[in-house]
Amino acid sequence: MARTKVFDQDVILEKAMHVFWQKGYNATSAQDLVDNLGISRSSLYDTFGDKHSLFIKALQRYRKERIDPVIKGLDTAEDIEAYVKYIFETVKVEAVGTSRSKGCFMVNSAVELAPIDSEVGAIANSIMHDTEEALCKAIKKGQDQGIFTTKYPARSMARFVFNSLNGFRVTMKFDGSKKMFDDIVNVCLSFLKS
């Protein structure tokens, strides 16, 4: 007779996401997962497949819960300038949410694995494309409203903001000072308005 699973898969997936986020894919062992998820190795593999499958599910969860709401917000924001600033604030809170900054799970994963793992690369490229598209539409809206400069195409400005956000996520791993954060946000917003 098969045993009934007595754990919430969503809770386990959330825990797995945080383990991978903290340690990275390669540094996370099966034992790390067992120890941190609170389930047996057999339950882990029976439920989620192998370590890579669990990692991909964790990335997909991260996108659904952390990235997609930001993208949707860009599509619906009335005050585009305030929303861009809000995005930076959100990234700051996520990046420095603990005493040891974890950075951004997606950026960390893309840097570690995208060049050698086509599935991670595809997820990262999808997020990059969708985020850039949303930023481009939002910036174009800001340009049409006279809030942002038309000196540069909205697409170029969206790429600059997206790159600034990702650079900020990496930098926050080793320098989480308020001054550094304020400088990046102020220069980015000034660029959009200049």
Side-chain angles (χ1 to χ4, degrees):
M1 179 177 208
R3 294 178 63 187
T4 304
K5 291 178 184 160
V6 292
F7 56 85
D8 183 333
Q9 289 186 33
D10 286 333
V11 171
I12 298 298
L13 193 53
E14 181 75 14
K15 288 179 180 181
M17 181 180 73
H18 285 282
V19 173
F20 286 127
W21 193 345
Q22 187 68 48
K23 297 188 76 151
Y25 178 79
N26 288 317
T28 300
S29 68
Q31 191 61 49
D32 290 330
L33 293 168
V34 169
D35 292 345
N36 286 281
L37 305 184
I39 62 174
S40 69
R41 194 176 300 253
S42 61
S43 290
L44 176 66
Y45 289 118
D46 288 345
T47 305
F48 298 103
D50 60 9
K51 175 181 153 183
H52 186 264
S53 297
L54 177 61
F55 183 77
I56 294 300
K57 289 174 184 163
L59 280 178
Q60 291 166 337
R61 179 183 184 91
Y62 181 83
R63 179 189 173 129
K64 180 181 174 190
E65 293 184 355
R66 308 277 171 94
I67 305 290
D68 289 348
V70 172
I71 291 171
K72 185 176 180 186
L74 279 167
D75 287 338
T76 59
E78 293 297 320
D79 185 340
I80 301 301
E81 182 180 2
Y83 197 78
V84 170
K85 191 169 185 175
Y86 163 78
I87 292 170
F88 274 99
E89 287 286 344
T90 301
V91 169
K92 176 186 171 191
V93 168
E94 179 180 272
V96 297
T98 63
S99 59
R100 180 178 171 265
S101 176
K102 298 185 294 187
C104 169
F105 183 40
M106 185 52 62
V107 171
N108 296 349
S109 300
V111 169
E112 179 182 10
L113 296 172
I116 58 172
D117 185 320
S118 61
E119 198 168 1
V120 172
I123 293 169
N125 282 331
S126 172
I127 289 172
M128 182 183 80
H129 175 267
D130 294 348
T131 304
E132 182 185 304
E133 281 300 312
L135 281 167
C136 185
K137 287 179 193 173
I139 290 168
K140 179 68 174 130
K141 183 177 174 182
Q143 287 175 324
D144 292 346
Q145 294 173 352
I147 298 167
F148 297 144
T149 184
T150 55
K151 185 176 174 182
Y152 303 101
R155 171 85 44 212
S156 298
M157 293 171 70
R159 289 176 175 155
F160 174 81
V161 171
F162 184 70
N163 189 59
S164 296
L165 283 164
N166 287 332
F168 177 69
R169 287 172 162 141
V170 172
T171 304
M172 290 301 292
K173 290 182 74 145
F174 56 87
D175 180 2
S177 71
K178 181 177 180 342
K179 172 84 170 104
M180 189 271 305
F181 169 76
D182 290 341
D183 287 348
I184 290 171
V185 173
N186 290 336
V187 169
C188 190
L189 291 174
S190 293
F191 165 75
L192 291 172
K193 295 170 104 178
S194 64

XYZ file of all heavy atoms in Angstrom, residues 114-174:
472
model
N 22.817 29.758 -16.641
C 22.300 30.005 -17.996
C 23.279 29.636 -19.107
O 22.867 29.077 -20.123
C 21.831 31.450 -18.138
N 24.585 29.893 -18.938
C 25.501 29.525 -20.021
C 25.622 28.018 -20.255
O 26.035 27.597 -21.333
C 26.854 30.096 -19.548
C 26.521 31.143 -18.549
C 25.257 30.671 -17.887
N 25.255 27.203 -19.254
C 25.454 25.759 -19.391
C 24.159 24.948 -19.261
O 24.175 23.739 -19.442
C 26.471 25.245 -18.348
C 26.018 25.569 -16.928
C 27.859 25.792 -18.634
C 26.845 24.933 -15.830
N 23.053 25.622 -18.947
C 21.780 24.924 -18.752
C 20.712 25.626 -19.589
O 20.255 26.717 -19.235
C 21.404 24.938 -17.263
C 20.157 24.133 -16.939
O 19.187 24.186 -17.717
O 20.146 23.473 -15.884
N 20.334 25.016 -20.692
C 19.419 25.671 -21.620
C 18.043 25.942 -21.011
O 17.391 26.932 -21.361
C 19.268 24.839 -22.903
O 18.738 23.558 -22.599
N 17.604 25.104 -20.081
C 16.295 25.317 -19.463
C 16.325 26.553 -18.553
O 15.411 27.384 -18.594
C 15.866 24.075 -18.671
C 14.392 24.049 -18.370
C 13.922 22.691 -17.859
O 14.730 21.760 -17.704
O 12.713 22.580 -17.612
N 17.365 26.706 -17.768
C 17.519 27.901 -16.939
C 17.707 29.120 -17.841
O 17.119 30.180 -17.597
C 18.701 27.758 -15.954
C 18.978 29.073 -15.232
C 18.416 26.649 -14.948
N 18.496 28.972 -18.898
C 18.691 30.061 -19.852
C 17.386 30.518 -20.477
O 17.141 31.716 -20.620
N 16.522 29.572 -20.814
C 15.231 29.920 -21.414
C 14.338 30.675 -20.422
O 13.664 31.639 -20.790
C 14.530 28.654 -21.907
N 14.336 30.238 -19.174
C 13.541 30.922 -18.141
C 14.080 32.337 -17.943
O 13.319 33.309 -17.903
C 13.537 30.132 -16.820
C 12.782 28.808 -16.994
C 12.915 30.962 -15.692
C 12.950 27.829 -15.837
N 15.396 32.480 -17.835
C 16.005 33.798 -17.640
C 15.724 34.706 -18.831
O 15.382 35.885 -18.660
C 17.515 33.653 -17.414
N 15.847 34.180 -20.042
C 15.563 34.982 -21.241
C 14.107 35.402 -21.312
O 13.796 36.523 -21.717
C 15.957 34.218 -22.512
C 17.441 34.248 -22.763
O 18.127 35.199 -22.386
N 17.960 33.207 -23.381
N 13.217 34.524 -20.915
C 11.792 34.853 -20.904
C 11.505 35.992 -19.931
O 10.771 36.936 -20.253
C 10.989 33.608 -20.522
O 9.634 33.932 -20.317
N 12.086 35.914 -18.755
C 11.896 36.971 -17.762
C 12.504 38.278 -18.264
O 11.888 39.352 -18.153
C 12.484 36.564 -16.403
C 11.606 35.479 -15.781
C 12.615 37.764 -15.469
C 12.183 34.855 -14.535
N 13.702 38.202 -18.835
C 14.344 39.398 -19.358
C 13.474 40.046 -20.436
O 13.217 41.249 -20.408
C 15.717 39.068 -19.930
C 16.454 40.295 -20.445
S 18.044 39.902 -21.187
C 17.522 39.345 -22.790
N 12.996 39.244 -21.366
C 12.168 39.761 -22.451
C 10.887 40.389 -21.919
O 10.526 41.511 -22.289
C 11.837 38.628 -23.434
C 10.895 39.047 -24.505
N 9.525 38.889 -24.400
C 11.109 39.656 -25.692
C 8.943 39.374 -25.470
N 9.878 39.841 -26.276
N 10.186 39.680 -21.045
C 8.906 40.176 -20.528
C 9.078 41.426 -19.676
O 8.264 42.355 -19.741
C 8.187 39.087 -19.727
C 7.768 37.905 -20.591
O 7.829 38.005 -21.839
O 7.395 36.858 -20.022
N 10.152 41.464 -18.888
C 10.419 42.644 -18.061
C 10.792 43.833 -18.939
O 10.305 44.949 -18.728
C 11.538 42.349 -17.040
O 11.176 41.216 -16.262
C 11.761 43.545 -16.124
N 11.630 43.588 -19.921
C 12.007 44.666 -20.834
C 10.789 45.208 -21.574
O 10.626 46.425 -21.717
C 13.047 44.170 -21.839
C 13.511 45.256 -22.796
C 14.450 44.739 -23.863
O 15.488 44.143 -23.495
O 14.155 44.936 -25.055
N 9.917 44.318 -22.024
C 8.704 44.753 -22.722
C 7.825 45.622 -21.826
O 7.319 46.665 -22.245
C 7.894 43.545 -23.218
C 8.427 42.910 -24.474
C 8.480 43.860 -25.655
O 7.476 44.562 -25.931
O 9.534 43.922 -26.303
N 7.638 45.181 -20.587
C 6.804 45.942 -19.655
C 7.440 47.295 -19.342
O 6.741 48.324 -19.295
C 6.578 45.140 -18.375
N 8.762 47.316 -19.121
C 9.455 48.578 -18.882
C 9.347 49.496 -20.095
O 9.127 50.706 -19.948
C 10.926 48.328 -18.552
C 11.252 47.872 -17.142
C 12.689 47.354 -17.061
C 11.031 48.993 -16.138
N 9.490 48.938 -21.280
C 9.417 49.731 -22.501
C 8.043 50.398 -22.629
O 7.941 51.596 -22.900
C 9.713 48.851 -23.715
S 9.792 49.769 -25.265
N 6.980 49.628 -22.406
C 5.618 50.189 -22.481
C 5.417 51.268 -21.431
O 4.831 52.320 -21.701
C 4.576 49.083 -22.284
C 4.435 48.147 -23.448
C 3.389 47.079 -23.115
C 3.435 45.941 -24.091
N 2.556 44.835 -23.682
N 5.901 51.017 -20.218
C 5.738 51.982 -19.132
C 6.523 53.261 -19.428
O 6.009 54.377 -19.219
C 6.184 51.366 -17.811
N 7.748 53.115 -19.911
C 8.561 54.292 -20.223
C 7.955 55.060 -21.390
O 7.911 56.297 -21.368
C 10.028 53.882 -20.478
C 10.652 53.444 -19.145
C 10.823 55.015 -21.132
C 11.992 52.756 -19.264
N 7.464 54.342 -22.386
C 6.798 55.014 -23.515
C 5.590 55.799 -23.011
O 5.349 56.944 -23.437
C 6.378 53.969 -24.563
C 5.670 54.542 -25.758
C 6.602 55.397 -26.603
C 5.895 55.842 -27.868
N 6.008 57.284 -28.087
N 4.840 55.219 -22.103
C 3.700 55.916 -21.499
C 4.190 57.173 -20.777
O 3.587 58.248 -20.901
C 2.981 54.977 -20.522
C 1.743 55.538 -19.881
C 1.105 54.456 -19.001
C -0.065 54.974 -18.208
N -0.635 53.945 -17.325
N 5.291 57.046 -20.035
C 5.877 58.205 -19.352
C 6.358 59.263 -20.330
O 6.226 60.465 -20.076
N 6.900 58.827 -21.458
C 7.318 59.778 -22.491
C 6.101 60.501 -23.076
O 6.124 61.719 -23.266
C 8.085 59.060 -23.605
C 9.473 58.627 -23.201
C 10.163 57.807 -24.285
O 9.537 57.018 -24.998
N 11.484 57.993 -24.398
N 5.046 59.752 -23.355
C 3.831 60.339 -23.920
C 3.194 61.343 -22.957
O 2.556 62.308 -23.386
C 2.818 59.250 -24.280
C 3.275 58.372 -25.437
O 4.243 58.759 -26.150
O 2.693 57.287 -25.619
N 3.377 61.107 -21.653
C 2.826 62.007 -20.639
C 3.768 63.177 -20.334
O 3.436 64.037 -19.520
C 2.544 61.237 -19.343
C 1.459 60.202 -19.462
C 1.324 59.331 -18.218
O 2.135 59.388 -17.295
N 0.287 58.503 -18.201
N 4.940 63.190 -20.955
C 5.898 64.254 -20.724
C 6.691 64.112 -19.433
O 7.370 65.046 -19.006
N 6.629 62.940 -18.809
C 7.353 62.689 -17.561
C 8.804 62.318 -17.849
O 9.715 62.758 -17.157
C 6.669 61.558 -16.762
C 5.256 61.963 -16.380
C 7.480 61.185 -15.535
C 4.411 60.803 -15.876
N 9.020 61.492 -18.865
C 10.354 61.014 -19.219
C 10.813 61.641 -20.525
O 10.002 61.975 -21.396
C 10.370 59.496 -19.348
C 10.053 58.746 -18.083
C 9.341 57.568 -18.117
C 10.464 59.217 -16.839
C 9.042 56.865 -16.958
C 10.173 58.528 -15.673
C 9.462 57.353 -15.732
N 12.102 61.740 -20.661
C 12.700 62.323 -21.854
C 12.396 61.478 -23.099
O 12.218 60.257 -23.007
C 14.229 62.464 -21.690
O 14.760 63.114 -22.847
C 14.910 61.114 -21.521
N 12.372 62.152 -24.233
C 12.239 61.452 -25.514
C 13.583 61.487 -26.258
O 13.647 61.153 -27.435
C 11.136 62.091 -26.377
O 11.417 63.494 -26.535
C 9.764 61.908 -25.748
N 14.619 61.882 -25.551
C 15.966 61.957 -26.123
C 16.453 60.587 -26.602
O 17.229 60.480 -27.540
C 16.911 62.515 -25.060
C 18.315 62.766 -25.495
C 19.091 63.418 -24.350
C 20.543 63.561 -24.677
N 21.287 64.152 -23.548
N 15.985 59.524 -25.912
C 16.350 58.152 -26.258
C 15.080 57.356 -26.507
O 14.029 57.638 -25.914
C 17.130 57.485 -25.117
C 18.366 58.230 -24.712
C 18.363 59.039 -23.576
C 19.532 58.132 -25.465
C 19.504 59.733 -23.207
C 20.677 58.833 -25.090
C 20.656 59.630 -23.962
O 21.769 60.314 -23.594
N 15.152 56.338 -27.350
C 13.977 55.483 -27.550
C 13.594 54.768 -26.247
O 14.465 54.435 -25.424
C 14.436 54.465 -28.604
C 15.665 55.033 -29.225
C 16.285 55.933 -28.201
N 12.318 54.539 -26.075
C 11.822 53.856 -24.870
C 12.499 52.503 -24.692
O 12.820 52.103 -23.564
C 10.307 53.694 -24.932
N 12.747 51.789 -25.762
C 13.394 50.473 -25.686
C 14.800 50.597 -25.081
O 15.174 49.821 -24.210
C 13.474 49.846 -27.086
C 14.293 48.591 -27.184
C 13.600 47.313 -26.857
N 12.294 47.220 -27.452
C 11.279 46.580 -26.892
N 11.440 45.947 -25.749
N 10.100 46.527 -27.461
N 15.576 51.567 -25.543
C 16.926 51.768 -25.009
C 16.880 52.123 -23.534
O 17.684 51.625 -22.730
C 17.651 52.879 -25.775
O 17.792 52.523 -27.129
N 15.944 52.955 -23.153
C 15.809 53.346 -21.755
C 15.366 52.161 -20.894
O 15.839 51.995 -19.774
C 14.839 54.524 -21.645
C 15.405 55.794 -22.288
S 14.215 57.148 -22.416
C 14.021 57.610 -20.706
N 14.487 51.335 -21.440
C 14.037 50.142 -20.709
C 15.215 49.209 -20.462
O 15.355 48.645 -19.370
C 12.934 49.426 -21.485
N 16.055 49.051 -21.449
C 17.236 48.194 -21.292
C 18.186 48.764 -20.236
O 18.774 48.017 -19.461
C 17.939 48.009 -22.630
C 17.143 47.129 -23.565
C 17.757 47.002 -24.933
N 16.977 46.042 -25.707
C 16.927 46.032 -27.026
N 17.634 46.903 -27.729
N 16.195 45.129 -27.649
N 18.327 50.084 -20.217
C 19.175 50.723 -19.207
C 18.614 50.478 -17.802
O 19.355 50.104 -16.892
C 19.271 52.225 -19.490
C 20.008 52.970 -18.420
C 21.396 52.985 -18.393
C 19.313 53.651 -17.433
C 22.081 53.665 -17.390
C 19.983 54.330 -16.428
C 21.368 54.344 -16.408
N 17.323 50.669 -17.625
C 16.704 50.468 -16.311
C 16.817 49.003 -15.899
O 17.169 48.693 -14.754
C 15.231 50.940 -16.299
C 14.528 50.535 -15.010
C 15.153 52.451 -16.492
N 16.527 48.095 -16.820
C 16.608 46.666 -16.509
C 18.034 46.280 -16.113
O 18.245 45.560 -15.131
C 16.129 45.839 -17.709
C 16.098 44.363 -17.444
C 15.168 43.825 -16.573
C 16.991 43.510 -18.060
C 15.132 42.459 -16.316
C 16.964 42.143 -17.819
C 16.027 41.623 -16.945
N 19.012 46.782 -16.852
C 20.407 46.502 -16.522
C 20.781 47.115 -15.173
O 21.510 46.500 -14.384
C 21.327 47.026 -17.627
C 22.743 46.564 -17.440
O 23.025 45.376 -17.409
N 23.643 47.519 -17.282
N 20.279 48.297 -14.900
C 20.535 48.935 -13.599
C 19.950 48.105 -12.464
O 20.591 47.918 -11.424
C 19.953 50.350 -13.571
O 20.595 51.175 -14.506
N 18.741 47.599 -12.663
C 18.113 46.757 -11.646
C 18.934 45.494 -11.395
O 19.169 45.112 -10.247
C 16.692 46.364 -12.069
C 15.619 47.427 -11.910
C 14.379 47.049 -12.709
C 15.281 47.627 -10.443
N 19.370 44.857 -12.467
C 20.151 43.622 -12.309
C 21.518 43.896 -11.698
O 21.982 43.135 -10.840
C 20.280 42.890 -13.636
C 18.987 42.242 -14.038
O 18.168 41.885 -13.198
N 18.765 42.099 -15.329
N 22.149 44.980 -12.115
C 23.418 45.352 -11.511
C 23.256 45.666 -10.032
O 24.087 45.288 -9.196
N 22.174 46.322 -9.715
C 21.868 46.637 -8.323
C 21.701 45.360 -7.511
O 22.208 45.242 -6.393
C 20.583 47.482 -8.283
C 20.108 47.818 -6.909
C 20.819 48.685 -6.105
C 18.937 47.267 -6.422
C 20.378 48.998 -4.833
C 18.492 47.574 -5.155
C 19.213 48.446 -4.356
N 21.019 44.365 -8.095
C 20.813 43.088 -7.402
C 22.132 42.386 -7.096
O 22.287 41.771 -6.047
C 19.915 42.184 -8.235
C 18.484 42.625 -8.241
C 17.682 41.805 -9.226
N 16.273 41.923 -8.944
C 15.349 42.016 -9.869
N 15.689 41.985 -11.153
N 14.078 42.113 -9.551
N 23.077 42.489 -8.010
C 24.385 41.872 -7.787
C 25.174 42.675 -6.750
O 25.733 42.108 -5.812
C 25.174 41.761 -9.114
C 26.603 41.312 -8.864
C 24.472 40.802 -10.074
N 25.189 43.980 -6.905
C 25.944 44.830 -5.986
C 25.439 44.716 -4.553
O 26.227 44.745 -3.608
C 25.891 46.304 -6.456
O 26.383 46.381 -7.786
C 26.727 47.202 -5.560
N 24.136 44.554 -4.386
C 23.559 44.450 -3.045
C 24.076 43.226 -2.289
O 23.986 43.173 -1.072
C 22.034 44.413 -3.100
C 21.390 45.723 -3.511
S 21.770 47.109 -2.430
C 20.909 46.616 -0.948
N 24.639 42.275 -3.003
C 25.181 41.084 -2.338
C 26.418 41.417 -1.501
O 26.738 40.715 -0.553
C 25.510 39.992 -3.350
C 24.267 39.367 -3.959
C 24.633 38.267 -4.907
C 25.078 37.084 -4.119
N 24.752 35.802 -4.647
N 27.110 42.491 -1.876
C 28.316 42.839 -1.116
C 28.339 44.281 -0.624
O 29.188 44.630 0.184
C 29.584 42.527 -1.924
C 29.641 43.195 -3.269
C 30.149 44.471 -3.413
C 29.185 42.519 -4.393
C 30.196 45.079 -4.657
C 29.243 43.125 -5.644
C 29.745 44.407 -5.775
